[in-house]
Amino acid sequence: MIRAALAQAETLFDHLQVQNRAPRHVGRLVSHDAGMLEVTGFRRPIGAGARVIASDGTIARAEVAGFRGGRTLLVPLDSDAPLENGARVEPDSQANMVQVGEGLIGRVVDAMGQPLDRKGPIIAGGVWPLNGVKGNVLDRGRVTEPFDLGVRAVNALLTAGRGQRIAIIAGSGVGKSVLMGQMIAGAEADIVVVGLIGERGREVSDFLETKLKHTMHKSIVVAVPADHPPVLRLRAAARATAIAEYFRARGKKVLLLIDSLTRCAHAQREIGLALGEPPAMKGYPPSALALIPRLVERAGVDARTGGSITALYTVLADGDDTDDPIVDAARAIVDGHFVLSRHLSEQSIFPAIDVGKSLSRVMADVVPDDHRMAAATYRRLWAAYEENRDLILMGAYRPGNDPVIDEAVQRRQEMLDFIRQDQKSRIDLDTSAAALIAGFGA
């Protein structure tokens, strides 16, 4: 009878597939201090997921952030969960995988991949690592093709390339989000992935209704407002990048927009300080500055598949300080930066791009010589006026002393009109280049 029972039990469990026969680590919550959870008996690597059983029976998710002695430190993903001393902590093997696939197109999800648009469950069909796939640096292709962004000043003076990483640097209220909306509407991309990180809740719905209204059929949005825990803001940026990587691996031209990179750095600062990291420049610990290249370097051209991720990252310059540590770190790692000027925005010149302080490092590789020379002439006149602005406005400069300054003064309004563009209009790359060459060519 016993043998028959054992044989029946083996038959019942034959269909089960056990992938890992190693013991399963289950820990206990022993401390909750300064937003960090301390757990005993939970030996998992940094970045691994965890499930904490709350007092009401619900599951609160967390992520391993560090260690202190023999204890594991977790960052909770659910800030309001009713946790109690001794709560059971289990490993979450799916926490570091992202659902990807065609089913995501046209949808809005949160940092954990749950739908926010009330359109039902998402049937994604595949998975991709949250932190990307390690690859050979030589598989990263060169940026050799222009990328049309639909904005005349960008297409003509700061021409972007397919696979370029660009930082949009500005203070608050200067027009970063509006410029991003113009680029989304005018970009020639197969897939648009937008990460709205740490923004006001009102701006999320506003962005969807105005900036993405006509391109939602090819867009995927990952949104986490400012009132969510910092680890969720980091996960949202990583999830948006992982989704973009999946489509790049399938040969697609992807436009990735992260708004904003500064909010991601602020989130990492909160976590780093809670872990006891020493604050460095302006209170940022080393991990906050290290986050930027780790995230930005995931974009670019894949030489094997031919796919690309052209990435735009907004960077908030606190107090219009363009020497802020986050601004400086972002500017050093990207392939180009667009600096928006509050002085131009106060004159109702939008997009308020400061041409002299902005740069596209790949422009020389993606435009013909006549276009490049016309852009150089424009920039020379722009720099001549800006360097002598005070003398000109005070009347201390006498015409005839310098022919370059004379031309810059005479053509100042023409140069400003070239930048000015209505936010609903789209001007393609060829039209922008032709207008620049006609006005400022040899």
Side-chain angles (χ1 to χ4, degrees), residues 89-220:
V89 182
E90 303 173 350
D92 186 0
S93 59
Q94 296 300 315
N96 292 325
M97 300 303 290
V98 175
Q99 284 190 328
V100 290
E102 301 290 334
L104 278 171
I105 299 176
R107 303 301 301 270
V108 183
V109 299
D110 63 10
M112 303 304 294
Q114 299 302 312
L116 297 173
D117 50 11
R118 301 186 181 92
K119 294 182 180 179
I122 296 173
I123 310 300
V127 293
W128 192 269
L130 180 67
N131 295 316
V133 178
K134 297 293 183 183
N136 190 331
V137 67
L138 296 181
D139 291 335
R140 184 60 54 83
R142 293 182 61 231
V143 179
T144 57
E145 300 177 24
F147 190 85
D148 189 353
L149 287 170
V151 179
R152 180 172 53 206
V154 173
N155 283 340
L157 302 169
L158 304 162
T159 312
R162 186 168 71 89
Q164 185 178 4
R165 292 84 51 86
I166 302 169
I168 302 175
I169 302 170
S172 57
V174 182
K176 297 186 300 297
S177 297
V178 174
L179 178 58
M180 287 184 70
Q182 285 183 271
M183 292 179 175
I184 291 173
E188 294 181 349
D190 300 323
I191 301 292
V192 177
V193 182
V194 181
L196 300 177
I197 316 299
E199 294 294 328
R200 293 179 287 272
R202 175 193 62 80
E203 287 190 344
V204 174
S205 56
D206 180 73
F207 198 95
L208 296 175
E209 291 294 329
T210 58
K211 314 298 188 302
L212 288 174
K213 185 176 183 180
H214 301 294
T215 56
M216 200 61 200
H217 64 281
K218 62 177 182 180
S219 300
I220 302 166

Side-chain angles (χ1 to χ4, degrees), residues 42 57 81 87 105 116 126 205 212 236-237 267 282-283 320 328 339 360 377 381:
F42 193 75
I105 299 176
L116 297 173
S205 56
L212 288 174
K282 285 198 172 181
D320 292 335
D328 200 41
V339 178
S360 173
T377 299
L381 295 176

